[in-house]
Amino acid sequence: MIKRIASFALVFSLLSGQAFAQDINLASGSTSAPLEIYADNGIEWQQNEKLIIAQGNAVAKRANVTVNAEELRAYYLDEASDAGGNTNIHRLEALGGVTITSDTETATGDRAVYDLKRAIMVMSGGRPTLRTPDDTISADGTLEYWEERAQAVARGNATAVREGREIKADVIAALFRKNKQGQSEVHRVNAFGNVVIITKTEHVTADKGVYNVNSGVATLTGSVKIKRGGNILNGCSATVNLKTNVSRLKACAGTNDNRVRGLVLPTTKSVQ
C-alpha cells in the first residue's frame, strides 16, 4: 500500500544505541529525541515495503543534527515489533547534494547511508568531506563516521588538513575525543598506505603513519623517505614534528646493513 502525506512532515522514533558524546550523532546522540522528516514535494509512505520517501529539498532533523538532500529514504521496522506502538526507523538514505550539519561539524557528499542500529554513516560521491572547527577530512572514495567508536575513516586518496598541515594516504582514520569545553575534536590520525606529509621544508613518504594532533608529531614507519630540496634520506622509521619542522630518521633494526642512507647534492656555484 502506498500512502501520500499531504502535510509534508512526519515524526518518528528511532532505533538507538547507547548515547555517545559526538556532534553529528544522528543515531545515538539523543536517544529520546524523535526524527522529523520534511519535504517540499511530498512524502510517500510505502507501507508494504516499510519505506518512507521524502522528495524535494528533503530534511531530516534530530536534536541538533540536520540532514539535507534532494531525496530521503527511511526504512522502518514493523510497528508491531515496538511495544510502544511507534514506527522505528533503522536505516536512512540521503541522495543528491547531501549535507549533514550539527552545531560544530559539517559533512558533505552526493550520497549518505545511515545505519541507525549500528550508529554508522557512510558517505560517498563528490569527494565526501567532514569539517570540524579545526580539521578537514576528505577522500575520493568513501567517508565513514562511526559514532560509538568516535572516529571518521576516509578511504581513497584521503586527506587530513589542520592549520595548513596536510597528511595524505590511501586510508585515514581520525579519532575524536571531547575537549575541556565539551566539544569533539580530532586528537589522533592514523594513516595507511602511500602516506605523504608535506611541511614547509620537506616532503616525507612512508607506508604507515600515526599523527598526534596535540604534540604535532607524526611517527612514520615502512620505507620512509625524506626529501629536502634535492637531498634525499632513506630509513625504516622517522618522527616528523609538523610544528617545528624537525625530522629524525631512524635506521632499520635487525638487518645486516641498518644504516640510514642519504643523498646530499653539492651546492652549485655560479660561474663568474
Side-chain angles (χ1 to χ4, degrees), residues 223-267:
S223 303
V224 179
K225 180 180 293 185
I226 299 177
K227 296 180 182 179
R228 178 178 290 180
N231 304 322
I232 301 174
L233 294 175
N234 295 277
C236 280
S237 63
T239 57
V240 180
N241 193 315
L242 299 185
K243 293 182 178 180
T244 63
N245 294 317
V246 174
S247 300
R248 290 182 172 86
L249 190 65
K250 298 180 181 179
C252 301
T255 61
N256 294 330
D257 186 2
N258 60 0
R259 293 170 294 180
V260 173
R261 297 181 180 274
L263 175 63
V264 180
L265 299 181
T267 302

Coordinates of all heavy atoms in Angstrom, one line a residue, residues 223-267:
S223 N 59.6 2.0 4.7 CA 60.2 2.6 3.5 C 60.1 4.2 3.6 O 59.5 4.8 2.7 CB 59.4 2.1 2.3 OG 59.5 0.7 2.2
V224 N 60.6 4.7 4.7 CA 60.5 6.1 4.9 C 61.5 6.9 4.0 O 62.7 6.5 3.9 CB 60.7 6.5 6.4 CG1 60.7 8.0 6.6 CG2 59.7 5.8 7.3
K225 N 61.0 7.9 3.4 CA 61.9 8.7 2.5 C 61.6 10.2 2.8 O 60.5 10.6 2.8 CB 61.7 8.5 1.0 CG 62.6 9.3 0.1 CD 62.3 9.0 -1.4 CE 62.7 7.6 -1.7 NZ 62.6 7.3 -3.1
I226 N 62.7 11.0 3.1 CA 62.6 12.4 3.4 C 63.3 13.2 2.3 O 64.5 12.9 2.1 CB 63.1 12.7 4.8 CG1 62.4 12.0 5.9 CG2 63.1 14.2 5.0 CD1 62.9 12.2 7.3
K227 N 62.6 14.0 1.6 CA 63.2 14.9 0.6 C 63.2 16.3 1.1 O 62.2 16.8 1.6 CB 62.4 14.8 -0.7 CG 62.4 13.4 -1.3 CD 61.6 13.5 -2.6 CE 61.5 12.1 -3.3 NZ 60.7 12.1 -4.5
R228 N 64.4 16.9 1.0 CA 64.5 18.3 1.3 C 65.3 19.0 0.2 O 66.5 18.8 0.1 CB 65.2 18.5 2.7 CG 65.4 20.0 3.1 CD 66.0 20.2 4.4 NE 65.1 19.8 5.5 CZ 65.4 19.9 6.8 NH1 66.6 20.3 7.1 NH2 64.5 19.5 7.7
G229 N 64.6 19.8 -0.6 CA 65.3 20.3 -1.8 C 65.7 19.1 -2.7 O 64.9 18.3 -3.0
G230 N 67.0 19.1 -3.0 CA 67.5 18.0 -3.9 C 68.1 16.9 -3.0 O 68.6 15.9 -3.6
N231 N 68.0 17.0 -1.7 CA 68.6 16.0 -0.8 C 67.6 14.9 -0.4 O 66.4 15.2 -0.2 CB 69.2 16.6 0.4 CG 70.2 17.7 0.1 OD1 71.0 17.6 -0.9 ND2 70.2 18.8 0.8
I232 N 68.0 13.7 -0.3 CA 67.1 12.6 0.0 C 67.7 11.7 1.1 O 68.9 11.3 1.1 CB 66.9 11.7 -1.2 CG1 66.2 12.5 -2.4 CG2 66.0 10.5 -0.9 CD1 66.1 11.7 -3.7
L233 N 66.9 11.4 2.1 CA 67.3 10.4 3.2 C 66.3 9.3 3.2 O 65.1 9.5 3.1 CB 67.3 11.2 4.5 CG 68.3 12.3 4.7 CD1 68.1 12.9 6.1 CD2 69.7 11.7 4.7
N234 N 66.8 8.0 3.4 CA 66.0 6.8 3.4 C 66.3 6.1 4.7 O 67.4 6.0 5.2 CB 66.4 5.9 2.3 CG 66.0 6.5 0.9 OD1 64.9 6.5 0.5 ND2 67.0 7.1 0.3
G235 N 65.2 5.6 5.3 CA 65.3 4.8 6.5 C 64.0 3.9 6.8 O 63.2 3.9 5.9
C236 N 63.9 3.3 7.9 CA 62.8 2.4 8.2 C 61.7 3.2 9.0 O 60.5 2.8 9.0 CB 63.2 1.2 9.0 SG 63.9 -0.1 7.9
S237 N 62.1 4.2 9.8 CA 61.1 4.9 10.6 C 61.6 6.3 10.8 O 62.8 6.6 10.6 CB 60.9 4.2 11.9 OG 62.1 4.2 12.7
A238 N 60.7 7.2 11.1 CA 61.0 8.6 11.3 C 60.0 9.3 12.2 O 58.8 8.8 12.3 CB 61.1 9.3 10.0
T239 N 60.4 10.4 12.9 CA 59.4 11.2 13.5 C 59.5 12.6 12.9 O 60.6 13.1 12.6 CB 59.7 11.4 15.0 OG1 61.1 11.8 15.2 CG2 59.6 10.0 15.7
V240 N 58.4 13.2 12.6 CA 58.3 14.5 11.9 C 57.5 15.4 12.8 O 56.3 15.1 13.0 CB 57.7 14.4 10.5 CG1 57.6 15.7 9.9 CG2 58.5 13.4 9.7
N241 N 58.1 16.5 13.3 CA 57.3 17.5 14.1 C 56.8 18.5 13.1 O 57.6 19.3 12.6 CB 58.2 18.1 15.1 CG 57.4 18.9 16.2 OD1 56.5 19.6 15.8 ND2 57.8 18.7 17.4
L242 N 55.5 18.5 12.9 CA 54.9 19.5 12.0 C 54.8 20.9 12.5 O 54.5 21.8 11.8 CB 53.5 19.0 11.6 CG 53.4 17.6 10.9 CD1 52.0 17.3 10.5 CD2 54.3 17.5 9.8
K243 N 55.1 21.0 13.8 CA 55.1 22.4 14.4 C 56.4 23.0 14.3 O 56.5 24.2 14.0 CB 54.6 22.3 15.9 CG 53.2 21.9 16.1 CD 52.8 21.9 17.6 CE 51.3 21.6 17.8 NZ 50.9 21.6 19.2
T244 N 57.5 22.2 14.5 CA 58.9 22.8 14.5 C 59.6 22.5 13.2 O 60.7 23.0 12.9 CB 59.7 22.2 15.6 OG1 59.8 20.8 15.4 CG2 59.0 22.5 17.0
N245 N 59.0 21.6 12.3 CA 59.6 21.2 11.1 C 60.9 20.5 11.3 O 61.9 20.6 10.5 CB 59.8 22.4 10.1 CG 58.5 23.0 9.7 OD1 57.5 22.3 9.3 ND2 58.4 24.3 9.7
V246 N 61.1 19.8 12.4 CA 62.3 19.0 12.7 C 61.9 17.5 12.5 O 61.0 17.0 13.0 CB 62.7 19.2 14.1 CG1 63.9 18.3 14.4 CG2 63.2 20.7 14.3
S247 N 62.8 16.8 11.6 CA 62.5 15.4 11.3 C 63.7 14.6 11.8 O 64.9 15.0 11.7 CB 62.3 15.2 9.8 OG 61.2 16.0 9.4
R248 N 63.5 13.4 12.3 CA 64.5 12.5 12.8 C 64.3 11.1 12.1 O 63.2 10.6 12.2 CB 64.5 12.3 14.3 CG 65.0 13.6 15.0 CD 65.1 13.3 16.5 NE 65.7 14.5 17.2 CZ 65.1 15.6 17.6 NH1 63.8 15.7 17.4 NH2 65.7 16.5 18.2
L249 N 65.3 10.7 11.4 CA 65.1 9.4 10.6 C 65.9 8.3 11.3 O 67.0 8.6 11.8 CB 65.7 9.6 9.2 CG 65.5 8.5 8.2 CD1 64.0 8.3 7.9 CD2 66.2 8.8 6.9
K250 N 65.3 7.1 11.4 CA 66.0 6.0 12.1 C 66.3 4.9 11.2 O 65.5 4.7 10.2 CB 65.1 5.5 13.3 CG 64.8 6.6 14.3 CD 63.9 6.0 15.4 CE 63.6 7.0 16.5 NZ 62.8 6.5 17.6
A251 N 67.3 4.1 11.5 CA 67.7 3.0 10.6 C 66.9 1.8 10.9 O 66.1 1.8 11.8 CB 69.2 2.7 10.9
C252 N 67.0 0.8 10.0 CA 66.3 -0.5 10.1 C 67.0 -1.4 11.2 O 68.2 -1.6 11.1 CB 66.2 -1.2 8.8 SG 65.5 -0.2 7.5
A253 N 66.3 -1.9 12.1 CA 66.8 -2.7 13.1 C 66.8 -4.2 12.7 O 65.9 -4.6 11.9 CB 66.0 -2.6 14.4
G254 N 67.8 -5.0 13.1 CA 67.8 -6.4 12.8 C 68.2 -6.8 11.4 O 67.8 -7.8 10.9
T255 N 68.9 -5.9 10.7 CA 69.3 -6.2 9.4 C 70.9 -6.1 9.3 O 71.5 -5.5 10.2 CB 68.7 -5.2 8.3 OG1 69.2 -3.9 8.7 CG2 67.2 -5.3 8.4
N256 N 71.5 -6.7 8.3 CA 72.9 -6.7 8.2 C 73.4 -5.2 7.9 O 74.5 -4.8 8.4 CB 73.4 -7.6 7.0 CG 73.1 -9.0 7.3 OD1 73.1 -9.4 8.5 ND2 72.8 -9.8 6.3
D257 N 72.6 -4.5 7.2 CA 73.0 -3.1 6.9 C 71.9 -2.2 7.4 O 70.9 -2.0 6.7 CB 73.2 -2.9 5.4 CG 73.7 -1.5 5.1 OD1 74.0 -0.7 6.0 OD2 73.9 -1.2 3.9
N258 N 72.0 -1.7 8.6 CA 71.0 -0.9 9.3 C 71.3 0.6 9.3 O 70.7 1.3 10.1 CB 70.7 -1.4 10.7 CG 71.9 -1.3 11.6 OD1 73.0 -0.8 11.1 ND2 71.8 -1.7 12.8
R259 N 72.1 1.0 8.4 CA 72.4 2.4 8.4 C 71.3 3.2 7.6 O 70.7 2.8 6.7 CB 73.8 2.7 7.7 CG 74.9 2.1 8.4 CD 76.2 2.1 7.6 NE 76.1 1.2 6.4 CZ 77.1 1.1 5.5 NH1 78.2 1.8 5.6 NH2 76.9 0.2 4.5
V260 N 71.2 4.5 8.0 CA 70.4 5.4 7.3 C 71.1 5.9 6.0 O 72.3 6.2 6.1 CB 70.0 6.7 8.2 CG1 69.3 7.7 7.3 CG2 69.2 6.3 9.4
R261 N 70.5 5.9 4.9 CA 71.1 6.2 3.7 C 70.7 7.6 3.2 O 69.5 8.0 3.4 CB 70.8 5.2 2.6 CG 71.3 3.8 2.9 CD 71.0 2.9 1.8 NE 71.5 1.5 2.1 CZ 72.7 1.1 1.8 NH1 73.6 1.9 1.2 NH2 73.1 -0.1 2.1
G262 N 71.6 8.4 2.7 CA 71.2 9.7 2.2 C 72.0 10.1 1.0 O 73.1 9.6 0.7
L263 N 71.3 11.0 0.2 CA 72.0 11.5 -1.0 C 71.9 13.1 -0.8 O 70.8 13.6 -0.8 CB 71.2 11.1 -2.3 CG 71.7 11.7 -3.6 CD1 73.1 11.3 -3.9 CD2 70.7 11.4 -4.7
V264 N 73.1 13.7 -0.7 CA 73.2 15.1 -0.5 C 73.9 15.7 -1.7 O 75.0 15.4 -2.0 CB 73.9 15.4 0.8 CG1 74.0 17.0 1.0 CG2 73.3 14.8 2.0
L265 N 73.2 16.6 -2.4 CA 73.7 17.2 -3.6 C 74.5 18.4 -3.2 O 74.2 19.2 -2.3 CB 72.6 17.6 -4.5 CG 71.7 16.4 -5.0 CD1 70.6 17.0 -5.9 CD2 72.5 15.4 -5.7
P266 N 75.7 18.6 -3.9 CA 76.5 19.8 -3.6 C 75.8 21.1 -4.1 O 75.0 21.0 -5.0 CB 77.8 19.5 -4.4 CG 77.3 18.6 -5.5 CD 76.3 17.7 -4.9
T267 N 76.1 22.1 -3.5 CA 75.6 23.4 -3.9 C 76.3 23.9 -5.2 O 77.5 23.9 -5.3 CB 75.8 24.5 -2.8 OG1 75.2 24.0 -1.6 CG2 75.2 25.8 -3.2

